[in-house]
Amino acid sequence: MTAKPFHLAWFLQGSSVQAWGEPWTGHIGTTWEKPELFLNMARSLERACFDYILIEDSSYVGESFGGSTEIYLKNAIAVPRQDPSVVAALMTQVTSRIGLVPTFGTYAYHPYLLARLVATLDQVSGGRIGWNAVTGSSDFAAMNFGMQGMPEHDLRYDMADEYMEVVRKLWGSWEPGAIIADRKSGILVDHAKVHGVNFQGKYFSTRGPLNSGPAPQGQPVIAQAGGSPRGRRFAAAHAETIVVNAKGIEAMRTYRADVHRHMEAAGRKPSECKILFLINPILGETEADAIERRKLRQHIADQHIEQRLAHFGKVTNIDFGRFDLDKPLPDHVTTNGHQLNLDQFRTMARGRSIRETMASFNAVDLTIDLCGTCDSVAARMGEVMEEVGGDGYLFSMPNVNRRSLAEIEDGLIPALQDRGLVRKAYEHKQFRDNLMAF
Ligand SMILES: Cc1cc2nc3c(=O)[nH]c(=O)nc-3n(C[C@H](O)[C@H](O)[C@H](O)COP(=O)(O)O)c2cc1C
């Protein structure tokens, strides 16, 4: 291993139909309910020594595009999807080292329920659970939980700050060594080591202690993806891993430096959080083959402009169906949803029409352009990390199937390992220890 290896994780777009309508997906439209593909994925990525799989989630059927659910349901855009805790639990039982990071929204779970669920997952996995802490962004999701709409963007993060405090206190309600399990004395738990929480906050309150017992990691790992200034501050205060779709090397450096500044202001060391950048590598047998595959990927994206706008509209709460797609996005359009995404869309637009902008927006490249043989892509990934300073990559590939997984496990990863850029074996048993190993 060289002096600066980097970390790897995978972004699974929900426990749901993967890449509907794309090549190499078999009978995904009927097989998705059973977890076989996801369990294969977990085994494959563990063989490849990934740090973790992040399981994305949202809890509503999209309705932003044209004020209808039609485009979402017809095209399997983030629906149907299952609760991520179930597939995460199943993945824990076919693996022994990889970290598993389901997403749960702070608007959807009471902190007590969340702390108990995540502690339980940490127990059944032997200390390999993280929580992707999201605030949620859609009014439709809020309405599913009896609210009229989502609180304002920055207020959601204020509420989430308090939420984290409650959850951490609940996880801390069992001191280390509280479980004695001594058959001779007949004592299971030392009651003096289990404490009430009695939290009365501005937004949440709870009594405690947690009745699940302690999480093996004590405090399970926190993952986050805040992109806006307020989101970055939240992530810098709480996260041990951040995932971000920065655009190009300069943006990667700037984002990383900014988060590090916020971490230091919050009294944390930058090394306590691993920032992973989204990538979607295109691999070929030869460079020419990879370029052909890139063209095909672009062609598929071009054929799906409306569907992709519907997905973008789902996370920004914008109805792109009401605009003339051959004109630029009007200046007055703002979002109470994902702010960074809309900012990036505008930067890319530079006077172009919505359709033209969407044709290139996250269509093929994410953080950086990676297209070539396994060897040349591995080399490029190494160079970029060297320039940025760390900490690794999050694979965000739209066409998850057995073929694309094999290309990563059996093609790209060995090329990265041969260069000493990523680990060949896990250092530890628990997730945080592996994440912080370098
Ligand atoms: C890789 C990645 C994964 C994300 N996963 C989820 C998710 O599963 N559920 C969710 O509601 N938001 C998810 N988000 C959205 C973030 O939580 C956040 O709302 C978004 O990055 C915008 O942040 P901002 O409003 O601070 O800019 C994800 C974002 C990224 C970049």
Side-chain angles (χ1 to χ4, degrees):
M1 194 90 85
T2 58
K4 262 215 173 288
F6 50 77
H7 296 269
L8 298 176
W10 189 284
F11 183 42
L12 173 62
Q13 305 263 351
S15 173
S16 65
V17 182
Q18 300 294 306
W20 174 243
E22 293 205 15
W24 299 99
T25 47
H27 296 290
I28 190 71
T30 48
T31 55
W32 70 276
E33 280 185 14
K34 293 284 174 65
E36 282 315 314
L37 176 63
F38 304 131
L39 301 189
N40 277 339
M41 159 186 271
R43 289 191 194 96
S44 171
L45 297 179
E46 181 166 88
R47 284 191 297 265
C49 297
F50 271 54
D51 285 82
Y52 64 91
I53 300 174
L54 188 152
I55 309 168
E56 175 258 355
D57 193 34
S58 62
S59 44
Y60 62 104
V61 178
E63 208 177 317
S64 310
F65 194 87
S68 164
T69 56
E70 182 178 346
I71 195 167
Y72 298 93
L73 290 165
K74 266 191 180 165
N75 298 285
I77 301 172
V79 59
R81 53 178 38 209
Q82 299 165 325
D83 192 287
S85 59
V86 175
V87 77
L90 292 168
M91 283 174 167
T92 67
Q93 300 306 294
V94 297
T95 54
S96 61
R97 287 289 190 274
I98 194 166
L100 299 160
V101 184
T103 298
F104 303 113
T106 52
Y107 66 96
Y109 291 76
H110 187 279
Y112 188 91
L113 193 57
L114 182 288
R116 194 172 83 137
L117 175 58
V118 174
T120 304
L121 285 167
D122 205 44
Q123 289 168 348
V124 300
S125 66
R128 291 186 290 123
I129 289 297
W131 164 38
N132 181 27
V134 301
T135 61
S137 52
S138 165
D139 290 340
F140 296 120
M143 285 179 221
N144 286 342
F145 293 87
M147 294 175 266
Q148 301 219 312
M150 275 290 165
E152 185 275 324
H153 179 271
D154 286 12
L155 173 61
R156 293 202 294 271
Y157 282 116
D158 294 346
M159 295 170 74
D161 271 329
E162 187 179 294
Y163 192 105
M164 297 304 302
E165 193 185 342
V166 189
V167 166
R168 287 206 180 284
K169 288 200 160 125
L170 285 164
W171 284 334
S173 63
W174 289 62
E175 280 182 42
I179 298 189
I180 299 171
D182 179 21
R183 292 200 294 169
K184 267 202 202 126
S185 65
I187 298 177
L188 183 74
V189 177
D190 178 353
H191 77 284
K193 292 191 169 159
V194 182
H195 310 284
V197 165
N198 298 317
F199 186 92
Q200 289 285 343
K202 190 165 171 192
Y203 309 106
F204 305 102
S205 55
T206 191
R207 186 162 187 272
L210 205 58
N211 71 341
S212 60
Q217 293 181 103
Q219 303 274 326
V221 172
I222 305 295
Q224 229 286 313
S228 63
R230 180 66 184 90
R232 288 181 198 194
R233 281 212 319 279
F234 175 77
H238 305 287
E240 292 158 283
T241 181
I242 299 178
V243 291
V244 61
N245 184 9
K247 298 290 178 198
I249 292 176
E250 210 34 59
M252 294 164 86
R253 276 216 204 97
T254 309
Y255 182 90
R256 200 160 172 269
D258 192 43
V259 168
H260 286 174
R261 255 194 312 278
H262 286 308
M263 286 183 76
E264 280 166 346
R268 300 179 70 203
K269 291 197 214 106
S271 60
E272 290 171 7
C273 180
K274 307 302 174 192
I275 301 174
L276 307 193
F277 297 96
L278 267 69
I279 53 167
N280 175 17
I282 299 171
L283 304 168
E285 312 288 314
T286 60
E287 297 295 328
D289 178 34
I291 290 167
E292 277 310 306
R293 291 179 78 176
R294 184 183 218 286
K295 282 188 198 150
L296 176 63
R297 189 82 67 81
Q298 183 65 56
H299 177 71
I300 293 174
D302 291 345
Q303 302 296 304
H304 293 84
I305 296 285
E306 290 205 345
Q307 286 94 324
R308 292 176 50 239
L309 279 169
H311 186 266
F312 186 43
K314 183 173 179 283
V315 298
T316 50
N317 304 319
I318 296 169
D319 178 2
F320 287 94
R322 71 195 158 94
F323 302 126
D324 180 345
L325 301 188
D326 295 309
K327 293 206 171 127
L329 183 66
D331 286 340
H332 62 80
V333 177
T334 55
T335 182
N336 189 32
H338 295 194
Q339 287 186 352
L340 179 66
N341 299 47
L342 185 61
D343 292 348
Q344 288 174 337
F345 188 86
R346 282 203 184 284
T347 307
M348 195 168 253
R350 290 200 193 92
R352 289 188 296 174
S353 72
I354 295 174
R355 189 187 304 281
E356 285 164 340
T357 312
M358 200 62 199
S360 44
F361 185 65
N362 291 341
V364 179
D365 305 323
L366 295 173
T367 298
I368 44 167
D369 169 13
L370 290 173
C371 175
T373 62
C374 291
D375 221 41
S376 69
V377 167
R380 181 76 188 130
M381 287 171 72
E383 283 162 16
V384 171
M385 266 303 120
E386 190 80 31
E387 284 188 57
V388 173
D391 301 297
Y393 296 103
L394 178 77
F395 286 73
S396 175
M397 303 181 47
N399 53 347
V400 173
N401 54 57
R402 278 176 278 273
R403 175 171 140 160
S404 57
L405 285 169
E407 285 176 355
I408 301 302
E409 180 194 340
D410 298 326
L412 182 60
I413 296 303
L416 287 165
Q417 288 173 333
D418 287 350
R419 290 181 140 73
L421 293 170
V422 296
R423 63 160 70 88
K424 282 187 173 157
Y426 290 97
E427 296 78 12
H428 302 282
K429 287 189 173 163
Q430 294 194 343
F431 176 27
R432 176 179 291 102
D433 294 337
N434 284 315
L435 191 62
M436 299 301 157
F438 43 85

